[in-house]
Amino acid sequence: MEENKYKKLFQITEKLHSTLDVNTLLGELFVILQEVYPDFSYYLLLSQDTHSHNDLPIIDLDYDSENMTAINAYVSGKIQFEKSIVANHAILYAPLKGGRGVYGVLQIIAPNTPQFPDYETEFITLLARCAGSALENAQLYQQSRKAISDLQLINETSRRLNSNLRLTETMTFMSEQIMTSFDAEEVGFFLFSDDQEKVKVLSGSTPYFFTKQARSYIDYIKEKIQKGSGPLFIGDLNLPTITSFHSIMAVPMIQRQKLKGFSIIMHQLPYFFSFQTFKLLQSLLHHSSLALTNSLLREELETLVITDHLTKLHSRKFLDEKIQRSMKMDEEGTFILIDIDNFKEINDTYGHQIGDKVLIQLADLIKRNIHGRDIGARWGGEELAIYLPMVPLYTGTAIAERLVEKVSESTNPHITVSCGVSYWNKEQLDSYQNLFKRADEALYIAKETGKNKVIIQGDNITVV
């Protein structure tokens, strides 16, 4: 009988070590227990268990548990006994011990038995040790696979990010990677303003962060990050104004020792993210920081190239390219050429510094009177321009007339402007050189006929 039992133990050992899947292994262990001890009850108390076993008698091993006998078995790594005070039951706690540590405790309850015989205790000890060794191997295997998967994620992310993606593409890619890899519900990326007071939500963040409800989370994390808290790992956030999301990870984005922004990853369930996930997120963002910085710097440089440094309007080169593209893709468009009347007198009377301020005032008025795809640009000197794609002539003329009126009413020192307006549509052959020429001719007429007005110039048509 003993010989058969130990032959069975050999078969059990072979069976348990034949799988490297933790869930399968634990299921096999309970099948074996049912075969060997059909009249006994048993539970498995696992430490740091991250698997789902709804159909198995597995419970968490809590260090603050009242079951001190189970805790003693786990801590000492030695078998422990307990006698039930309710009935004549013997209870045994066998540690699942591997070469690197103890992974849990097997609780076996023998009904109508005052104590376990020595031979049963020895067998259960060997069985628990066999299960502990198999569980350790399976967990190490899964940990190694997870480590390989994490490294592949970091490598693939770094490779993609270093392929000169645009900033929006970079943020979108990062958001998708984090959502997929971490099962996150919301992912946001934020940049600080120059004075560190405001934060901008970057495109590529999930839509939730563009809503008013997200402000409480953003402001809370912003304050923590600015105080130098470093990366934040919050398992169960409970604040009066914050109720929806409880699990939060936040990592600052640092460029050349300067805090540039931060990222937020959230889930509604408390304690959803593991600390391993938090460390992986830090590593992922650390390896991606150079690509993120390069995307930011590249777009800042591109903005400088296409922007007039004084007025912050677009450059003429940028305007030329946009109009040429519009005349190929759109159905119509209106072009407005603007010149400050008597600008030389402004410079002679007040100085060039005031002249620059006048240009900035005019540029600001242009920005406030256009929107969407409309383009405001510095044409050259005291001349500025507006291009309105997909805007008919009467609308473009109304915008020019409103601008003339606003300039006359609100500038200090007081100035006026003259505007030349031209228009194109698909029904007639045209070129952007002719479009500019007609607007320039209309502007010349406006200057010669009294200034502070709008002139429309079409083919052989001049409208005052």
Side-chain angles (χ1 to χ4, degrees), residues 46 104 332:
L46 289 181
E332 60 183 350

PDB file of all heavy atoms in Angstrom, residues 46 104 332:
ATOM      1  N   LEU A  46      -2.634  31.132  -1.272  1.00  0.00           N
ATOM      2  CA  LEU A  46      -1.537  31.601  -2.115  1.00  0.00           C
ATOM      3  C   LEU A  46      -1.158  33.031  -1.767  1.00  0.00           C
ATOM      4  O   LEU A  46      -2.014  33.867  -1.493  1.00  0.00           O
ATOM      5  CB  LEU A  46      -1.907  31.532  -3.599  1.00  0.00           C
ATOM      6  CG  LEU A  46      -2.010  30.125  -4.211  1.00  0.00           C
ATOM      7  CD1 LEU A  46      -2.350  30.222  -5.689  1.00  0.00           C
ATOM      8  CD2 LEU A  46      -0.725  29.342  -4.025  1.00  0.00           C
ATOM      9  N   GLY A 104       3.009  29.439  -1.014  1.00  0.00           N
ATOM     10  CA  GLY A 104       1.677  29.327  -0.471  1.00  0.00           C
ATOM     11  C   GLY A 104       1.621  28.232   0.567  1.00  0.00           C
ATOM     12  O   GLY A 104       2.642  27.649   0.944  1.00  0.00           O
ATOM     13  N   GLU A 332     -13.051  76.900 -54.303  1.00  0.00           N
ATOM     14  CA  GLU A 332     -12.947  78.355 -54.409  1.00  0.00           C
ATOM     15  C   GLU A 332     -12.108  78.882 -53.253  1.00  0.00           C
ATOM     16  O   GLU A 332     -11.751  78.147 -52.329  1.00  0.00           O
ATOM     17  CB  GLU A 332     -14.337  78.998 -54.374  1.00  0.00           C
ATOM     18  CG  GLU A 332     -15.099  78.709 -53.090  1.00  0.00           C
ATOM     19  CD  GLU A 332     -16.498  79.289 -53.093  1.00  0.00           C
ATOM     20  OE1 GLU A 332     -16.820  80.079 -53.998  1.00  0.00           O
ATOM     21  OE2 GLU A 332     -17.279  78.956 -52.172  1.00  0.00           O
TER      22      GLU A 332
END
